[in-house]
Each structure stands twice: as C-alpha cells, then as structure tokens.
Amino acid sequence: ADLSNEIAKAYAQGWGVIAVSDVPGFVQARDSLLICAHKLAHLPQETLKTLEDEKSLYNAGWSHGKEKLGDKPDFAKGSFYFNPISDLPGTAEDREKYPLSYPLNVWPE
C-alpha cells in the first residue's frame, strides 16, 4: 500500500518515528546477519583494515575507533555499514557528486 501521504503528514513538523512490523522473513534474516556480524568482527585486523572506506568517511564497510565518544575514539564497538538494497547505489553521477551519500559496499572476500 502507498503510505506516502501518511508519512508526509507524520513528518510535516520535521520530526517523526516510523515503526515497521510483520516483515516476512525479517527474524530469519536478522539471525543470519548476527551470525555473520560475529564472524566479521573476529576477522584478523589486517583483513578488517581492508574493509575500511576512508573516502566515504567510514559510511561503508568496517569502522572501529573512527567514531568519537566525547573527544576520544570509541574503541568499545565496531560497526559495519552497507547498503542493503544495492552494492552500486544511485547513478555514476550521483556517486561522483555525493560520494558520502552513495558509497559502494565493501565486502570481505
């Protein structure tokens, strides 16, 4: 169903929350992702370094100690960012013009 009008109305003030429920296959996909996330986080440091994407300001791939907690790097967690819809988001022009918004996914071998 097209919920564009309802979403526009909810965000008319610039703030809002969207909750999505009953997504078919979500629980299984989440469980599978969590297993992969654990494996990824335990890869050798040299491998994780190859998954960093500095040019996207770490908006894609592995990030550990790049975000700050106050004025100090946060080494308490690692993050792996990716576009779940496409490995090649937007157009070549979009990626050139807005590299931080359209980074390419970075995957381990």
Side-chain angles (χ1 to χ4, degrees):
D2 184 354
L3 302 174
S4 301
N5 290 333
E6 289 83 354
I7 292 170
K9 185 177 175 183
Y11 284 93
Q13 300 298 316
W15 296 93
V17 174
I18 293 178
V20 178
S21 62
D22 300 324
V23 175
F26 174 79
V27 172
Q28 295 83 357
R30 182 201 61 207
D31 291 348
S32 177
L33 177 65
L34 290 175
I35 290 168
C36 292
H38 183 268
K39 289 178 183 178
L40 178 96
H42 289 87
L43 288 173
Q45 289 300 312
E46 311 84 59
T47 302
L48 292 172
K49 189 81 174 152
T50 67
L51 301 175
E52 293 179 353
D53 186 18
E54 185 177 4
K55 70 182 179 298
S56 75
L57 298 181
Y58 306 96
N59 284 328
W62 178 250
S63 172
H64 181 246
K66 307 302 179 188
E67 298 172 56
K68 292 192 174 183
L69 187 59
D71 62 344
K72 297 183 179 175
D74 182 5
F75 290 105
K77 68 169 183 67
S79 300
F80 188 78
Y81 300 101
F82 64 97
N83 182 327
I85 298 170
S86 174
D87 280 339
L88 195 64
T91 64
E93 183 180 327
D94 292 335
R95 292 187 297 278
E96 179 70 28
K97 193 172 181 180
Y98 307 106
L100 301 181
S101 298
Y102 293 98
L104 302 178
N105 285 337
V106 181
W107 298 112
E109 294 293 321

